[in-house]
Amino acid sequence: MSSTRSKMIRILITLGLGLVLVAMPFEIAFFALLAWEILVIRWVGREWRARSLGAGVAELALQLGVMSAIVAAAIWAPVKTVDQVKASRIHLPKNSISIAELSAPKDSPTGRPFLYWLEAPEEMAGTVVRFPSRNLTLGEFIEVIEAQTPLRHRFPSGCGNGYTILWGGSCRADVYFWRPTW
């Protein structure tokens, strides 16, 4: 009974530290991971000394399994900031837009469907990007530009807080397109 209760407490501690690890900024998550590692070393050592090497290995496997499950769930969770930004809907003025039009300043007569920055070489100005629809998600807009041009995207980072495994990067809602030189 005491062994089962002790094991449940250790699992709950691991769950708590795992949630801190995946949901908090790196500075705090690092200390949660460090605390968990110290506790696991102590728990495994205690099981090994009190019972057997097999009990120590079982404790290590249990702890690694619980923490791995938490981290895996956080990595695949569809709640990352970038995913939310990419899911936002935009409305384009027309289905075919040249790079020159896409590069025009945001206050130009053509207007922009949202805030973005496009840095393209002069020779690409006449390249026309054809969109499947005038209403699409930002993610679809990015995919079309990257599929039809050598331009690539990135989201400029926002504040330094919020970079976590669970939530992803804390990005602004604007997108930067550029032509990589590598």
Side-chain angles (χ1 to χ4, degrees):
M1 176 75 167
S2 174
S3 173
T4 303
R5 183 171 181 239
S6 175
K7 188 171 286 205
M8 289 305 295
I9 290 171
R10 292 191 305 260
I11 290 172
L12 289 174
I13 290 170
T14 298
L15 286 171
L17 289 172
L19 292 174
V20 169
L21 174 69
V22 300
M24 300 302 282
F26 177 76
E27 295 81 8
I28 297 170
F30 174 77
F31 288 110
L33 182 62
L34 185 62
W36 175 73
E37 289 172 352
I38 291 168
L39 288 172
V40 167
I41 290 168
R42 291 186 64 193
W43 294 334
V44 168
R46 184 178 304 141
E47 288 295 312
W48 183 4
R49 285 187 303 277
R51 296 198 176 121
S52 67
L53 176 60
V57 170
E59 180 66 31
L60 179 62
L62 175 69
Q63 292 296 323
L64 290 174
V66 169
M67 188 60 79
S68 296
I70 293 169
V71 171
I75 289 170
W76 290 308
V79 294
K80 298 190 177 29
T81 306
V82 172
D83 294 339
Q84 292 173 356
V85 170
K86 282 184 172 182
S88 62
R89 308 264 338 147
I90 61 172
H91 179 75
L92 300 175
K94 53 188 177 179
N95 283 36
S96 297
I97 306 173
S98 72
I99 293 295
E101 291 173 304
L102 286 170
S103 300
K106 67 177 181 176
D107 54 356
S108 72
T110 58
R112 288 188 177 183
F114 65 97
L115 184 59
Y116 65 88
W117 312 100
L118 195 136
E119 183 181 305
E122 292 267 339
E123 63 267 13
M124 288 184 62
T127 303
V128 175
V129 179
R130 289 172 179 71
F131 297 94
S133 166
R134 291 179 54 200
N135 294 308
L136 58 160
T137 66
L138 177 56
E140 293 166 338
F141 178 81
I142 291 169
E143 287 175 17
V144 170
I145 289 177
E146 289 188 347
Q148 296 180 25
T149 71
L151 300 175
R152 296 297 167 254
H153 84 285
R154 74 175 174 85
F155 288 95
S157 57
C159 69
N161 296 329
Y163 280 89
T164 67
I165 294 171
L166 182 60
W167 299 107
S170 175
C171 70
R172 298 187 323 230
D174 54 332
V175 182
Y176 176 71
F177 291 96
W178 87 106
R179 184 176 184 172
T181 57
W182 31 266

